[in-house]
Amino acid sequence: MPKIRPISDLRNSANEISAYCRSECEPVFITKNGVGDMVVMSIEVFEQQQALIKMYEQLLATETEIKSIEDFRSLAKKLKAGVQEKVQLK
């Protein structure tokens, strides 16, 4: 269950929020006037999330590259088959 705290707790309980974020490896959602405003998390968790995002971006780029290679191979096979067919007809 997410931890939700009012923005005033950043001023009054910053050390407690910091300790929670580090010990639980969970973010704390901060509200302002009863509405979600920001998220506080440990640097370690933030860096892990950024690393995951970068890894997913690299995976997507690799998958796209592999698909283009497979498309090229398919096209090359069709062209080769067409050339072989024309050579056999002569």
Side-chain angles (χ1 to χ4, degrees):
M1 178 161 214
K3 186 90 163 179
I4 302 171
R5 307 280 295 259
I7 200 163
S8 60
D9 282 1
L10 283 177
R11 179 180 56 247
N12 301 328
S13 305
N15 289 335
E16 179 186 325
I17 291 171
S18 175
Y20 174 84
C21 289
R22 282 184 277 116
S23 68
E24 300 299 317
C25 296
E26 291 288 328
V28 175
F29 297 86
I30 305 297
T31 62
K32 184 175 182 181
N33 299 323
V35 178
D37 187 52
M38 66 177 86
V39 177
V40 177
M41 66 176 68
S42 70
I43 288 176
E44 292 81 14
V45 170
F46 176 78
E47 288 174 344
Q48 288 172 352
Q49 289 181 351
Q50 293 300 307
L52 279 174
I53 290 169
K54 186 174 182 175
M55 182 184 69
Y56 288 139
E57 289 171 345
Q58 291 171 342
L59 283 172
L60 179 61
T62 301
E63 287 175 349
T64 302
E65 185 177 335
I66 288 170
K67 181 164 178 17
S68 69
I69 290 170
E70 289 172 355
D71 291 344
F72 173 77
R73 285 183 180 157
S74 175
L75 176 62
K77 284 181 184 178
K78 288 179 185 177
L79 290 172
K80 183 178 178 182
V83 167
Q84 287 177 343
E85 184 178 304
K86 287 184 180 182
V87 169
Q88 289 176 358
L89 291 176
K90 290 184 177 184

